[in-house]
Amino acid sequence: MKAIAISRYGGPEVVEYTDLPDPKVGPDSVLVQVRAAGVNPVDWKIREGHLDGLLDVHFPLVMGWDAAGVVRAVGGGVTEFAPGDEVYGYIRKDAVEHGTYAELVAAPVRTLARRPAALDWAQSGGLPLAGLTALQGLKALRVTAGDTVLVHAAAGGVGHLAVQIARALGARVIGTAGGRNHDYLRGLGAGPVAHGEGLADRVRALAPGGVDAALDLVGGGAVEVSAGLVADPARIASVADYGVVARGGRYVWVRPDAAGLAELAALADDGRLTVTVASTFPLAQAASAQALSAEGRTRGKIVLLTG
């Protein structure tokens, strides 16, 4: 199969478009022909070695954890899927080695669900990691109808999904973003505010009593600002700042979850969740896709297409 792999840590120069053996399919796994693979900031952070202290990494390493595709074969113990099924998943395994930037990936059934019929391949490939991050973050915050939720970096890959999921839960959403994305956030149903100095005052102008919960997707002081706006520190969560735990909040490291993927698919098929795809790249141009991701200014998702 064709795949994007690295043999050492480094910058874009270590990324190789190469031929590798087809994956082995275990008893509780399926072989997926990948149609689309989402690009996430964690991908280039792994490539550069920033997560070496947290994750077991083996080279050559095929990058990527997001995929949407078609089941080509199933393991002997699999009853959930059959060849020809269209699936999508957050395919993170115990060790980082056999990822989704490839024509084929072996995926444990616990990481997969049937892909949303309402979304195209690129949207489906961009949804799993970001969608589960948003969903699990909002659940950690116990968001319910009537809450006012502050989402930091609301126009990004995770943020634009968090806005929609919170709205589907019945919450009011205030989202931080640069000015060029304010109309976009309004279209998603959020009240936009500019990030940066004076953010707390701008949020209070929209919500004089503060907000019920805050989801930090960017770091850089967002937790500190949130602490002045949220009465209960347990209702502050961050995916970017582990210091939130010392303040009594929750740090969110997304977990594979087939039930959560099915929940996201149901929201999409009900018309309550869509995925904004900012850019698509052919698989061979994965380095360029990661470079764009690393700029940190993308509205929505970046996705690789395998064919």
Side-chain angles (χ1 to χ4, degrees):
M1 67 175 184
K2 290 291 186 181
I4 295 293
I6 62 173
S7 297
R8 58 186 173 88
Y9 292 133
E13 72 280 356
V14 304
V15 175
E16 297 181 73
Y17 181 57
T18 188
D19 291 296
L20 290 174
D22 291 354
K24 296 178 181 179
V25 182
D28 64 345
S29 296
V30 304
L31 183 66
V32 178
Q33 180 178 344
V34 178
R35 295 286 301 273
V39 175
N40 296 288
V42 70
D43 299 339
W44 59 263
K45 292 176 182 179
I46 289 173
R47 186 199 73 210
E48 294 185 352
H50 298 305
L51 276 69
D52 187 71
L54 299 175
L55 302 172
D56 285 327
V57 173
H58 303 288
F59 297 111
L61 184 163
V62 177
M63 290 179 289
W65 284 338
D66 272 347
V70 179
V71 174
R72 289 304 178 214
V74 301
V78 174
T79 58
E80 295 90 341
F81 303 106
D85 287 344
E86 296 183 356
V87 297
Y88 81 132
Y90 170 40
I91 306 170
R92 177 165 65 83
K93 305 169 188 177
D94 293 335
V96 182
E97 182 177 9
H98 302 295
T100 60
Y101 285 19
E103 292 177 327
L104 297 168
V105 64
V109 292
R110 63 181 174 81
T111 68
L112 295 175
R114 298 181 187 277
R115 81 175 186 95
L119 302 183
D120 62 24
W121 284 112
Q123 291 172 312
S124 298
L127 177 57
L129 186 156
L132 285 176
T133 301
L135 182 66
Q136 292 171 14
L138 293 168
K139 287 186 174 182
L141 293 172
R142 308 186 308 278
V143 172
T144 59
D147 282 343
T148 297
V149 180
L150 174 62
V151 177
H152 295 272
V158 177
H160 85 291
L161 300 172
V163 168
Q164 296 174 76
I165 295 167
R167 293 284 294 151
L169 292 170
R172 176 195 180 197
V173 181
I174 297 172
T176 74
R180 71 183 182 89
N181 284 317
H182 284 194
D183 284 344
Y184 171 69
L185 289 184
R186 290 187 186 97
L188 295 178
V193 293
H195 46 61
E197 186 175 351
L199 172 60
D201 292 335
R202 290 189 290 276
V203 173
R204 287 193 181 277
L206 296 179
V211 299
D212 298 294
L215 180 60
D216 165 33
L217 305 173
V218 67
V223 167
E224 182 178 356
V225 172
S226 299
L229 294 166
V230 180
D232 181 358
R235 301 196 72 191
I236 301 172
S238 177
V239 305
D241 184 354
Y242 189 74
V244 69
V245 175
R247 291 180 174 271
R250 290 284 303 275
Y251 178 73
V252 178
W253 174 260
V254 61
R255 300 176 179 178
D257 179 16
L261 290 169
E263 188 173 347
L264 292 170
L267 286 172
D269 289 338
D270 287 345
R272 293 185 288 172
L273 180 67
T274 192
V275 180
T276 297
V277 176
S279 301
T280 61
F281 292 80
L283 182 62
Q285 294 179 18
S288 296
Q290 288 188 348
L292 181 60
S293 172
E295 292 178 3
R297 296 192 296 270
T298 301
R299 176 192 294 176
K301 293 292 301 177
I302 301 167
V303 179
L304 299 174
L305 302 177
T306 61

